[in-house]
Amino acid sequence: MKNTPKAFTLIELLVVIAVIGLLMSVIMPALGKVKDSAQALICGTNLRSYGAALQAYSLDNNDKAPFMVSWLYSQKTIDAGVAGAIPKECRWHEDSDEPDGSLWPYLSDEDVHLCPTFKRYANRLGLDGCPNATEHSRATTFSPNYSYSMNWFVGFDWNKYITMSPVSGKTNGEVMYENEHSLKLSRVSRSANCFAFSEENLWTVSAEEWDEGHGGKTYSSVLLNDNALWLNANKDKLDEATDNIATYHKTHRSRVNNGSANLVFVDGHVEAMRGRPGREAYETYGKPYGGHDNVNIW
């Protein structure tokens, strides 16, 4: 009598497929979380390099921080616009200009300027006036190349601004920009609570979208368009907002307004934290020293 070869029955195959499908449904979300955590770790590591670069720069420049808008690209390069008549707001994803800002020599490793989580959202969402990778013109490249911004209040000395006298018919602001007057790090008494660099969103977040019970306070009204992050410090407009830190870490992709950002503080430590709306953001992680908000020029 011949032995009949053993084989799976149709029912057995269906059971195996069902079990594999069940396992995949359990494993895939976990793998997604692991990937997101790994990307967030890279972002934090990048910012740790930024913190070290800030300290090295200040040691070489009489304790000063770099100027808030020209630390990655010089003002000359910024004013000239992006090669090919591309709007400056699109510089983050399409730039043939070599970074030449004041902090660049201390951060010349290009790999530290881009958070991979930012790149994922940039490819999928794009930015107002700068479409995503799929919709982008074939005539130009789409290559996100930076995602970090500097705290405006560390990179600009407001006290010097209000005490200067305009020269040659120029405004205080014009003189400040020409001379790149930034804050001395020794004046940052809140060094563990004042961030130096952070990630920034590609989108704005209105009071309606900020649904965490903050009484209608806007989270951000300006998206990433330069390398300077200006928080709302106006005492008379507590519910309004300008720039703010990113919201895309440690959250589901359907709730990108409700996550956290990585920040490197002036003292060098890196922290992942949830943002605050309105003036709360300035009070929590933007103010460099007590009394800074008495310089009422906003």
Side-chain angles (χ1 to χ4, degrees), residues 205-277:
V205 182
S206 67
E208 292 74 21
E209 294 168 317
W210 184 256
D211 57 354
E212 296 299 312
H214 287 284
K217 294 180 180 178
T218 301
Y219 185 82
S220 61
S221 59
V222 181
L223 37 71
L224 177 69
N225 62 354
D226 53 27
N227 290 116
L229 198 158
W230 172 307
L231 296 169
N232 171 40
N234 194 321
K235 297 177 181 179
D236 299 322
K237 299 179 180 179
L238 300 180
D239 296 346
E240 296 185 9
T242 45
D243 300 336
N244 213 329
I245 66 174
T247 61
Y248 47 72
H249 287 300
K250 296 184 179 180
T251 185
H252 191 272
R253 297 180 187 183
S254 64
R255 291 174 57 83
V256 293
N257 294 339
N258 301 104
S260 61
N262 289 297
L263 300 86
V264 61
F265 289 79
V266 175
D267 71 349
H269 87 276
V270 174
E271 186 175 342
M273 65 186 303
R274 183 86 190 280
R276 308 289 292 179

Side-chain angles (χ1 to χ4, degrees), residues 20-38:
I20 293 174
L22 180 62
L23 290 173
M24 290 298 291
S25 68
V26 173
I27 292 172
M28 290 308 292
L31 290 177
K33 289 182 179 179
V34 170
K35 181 179 179 181
D36 289 345
S37 296

Side-chain angles (χ1 to χ4, degrees), residues 35-276:
K35 181 179 179 181
D36 289 345
S37 296
Q39 291 182 340
L41 181 61
I42 292 173
C43 297
T45 301
N46 288 349
L47 284 170
R48 190 166 284 108
S49 297
Y50 270 60
L54 173 67
Q55 297 299 326
Y57 177 90
S58 69
L59 287 173
D60 291 341
N61 290 274
N62 194 30
D63 191 38
K64 287 178 58 179
F67 198 57
M68 80 294 181
V69 296
S70 55
W71 59 270
L72 184 55
Y73 294 95
S74 70
Q75 292 188 59
K76 180 180 179 180
T77 298
I78 294 170
D79 292 341
V82 186
I86 301 160
K88 67 177 182 179
E89 291 79 7
C90 300
R91 183 183 290 278
W92 59 271
H93 80 66
E94 182 178 61
D95 194 9
S96 57
D97 297 318
E98 181 71 17
D100 59 352
S102 58
L103 198 63
W104 176 250
Y106 302 85
L107 279 170
S108 55
D109 181 358
E110 296 182 12
D111 291 337
V112 303
H113 296 297
L114 182 65
C115 173
T117 309
F118 173 95
K119 183 176 182 179
R120 186 180 72 216
Y121 283 115
N123 286 328
R124 184 162 64 91
L125 299 175
L127 172 68
D128 290 354
C130 309
N132 62 33
T134 302
E135 298 173 349
H136 204 270
S137 168
R138 293 183 179 180
T140 51
T141 59
F142 184 92
S143 180
N145 53 67
Y146 68 77
S147 56
Y148 305 115
S149 295
M150 183 180 185
N151 183 351
W152 185 293
F153 305 121
V154 172
F156 194 87
D157 189 346
W158 287 114
N159 281 302
K160 189 177 289 292
Y161 175 91
I162 63 175
T163 57
M164 329 183 54
S165 297
V167 294
S168 304
K170 297 178 180 178
T171 66
N172 282 358
E174 289 172 332
V175 176
M176 287 290 289
Y177 268 73
E178 286 181 0
N179 293 280
E180 300 194 341
H181 289 300
S182 56
L183 201 64
K184 288 194 172 186
L185 293 190
S186 58
R187 292 179 57 196
V188 184
S189 59
R190 300 179 72 249
S191 61
N193 301 103
C194 176
F195 82 95
F197 295 92
S198 174
E199 300 160 316
E200 191 174 355
N201 278 347
L202 283 166
W203 58 89
T204 60
V205 182
S206 67
E208 292 74 21
E209 294 168 317
W210 184 256
D211 57 354
E212 296 299 312
H214 287 284
K217 294 180 180 178
T218 301
Y219 185 82
S220 61
S221 59
V222 181
L223 37 71
L224 177 69
N225 62 354
D226 53 27
N227 290 116
L229 198 158
W230 172 307
L231 296 169
N232 171 40
N234 194 321
K235 297 177 181 179
D236 299 322
K237 299 179 180 179
L238 300 180
D239 296 346
E240 296 185 9
T242 45
D243 300 336
N244 213 329
I245 66 174
T247 61
Y248 47 72
H249 287 300
K250 296 184 179 180
T251 185
H252 191 272
R253 297 180 187 183
S254 64
R255 291 174 57 83
V256 293
N257 294 339
N258 301 104
S260 61
N262 289 297
L263 300 86
V264 61
F265 289 79
V266 175
D267 71 349
H269 87 276
V270 174
E271 186 175 342
M273 65 186 303
R274 183 86 190 280
R276 308 289 292 179

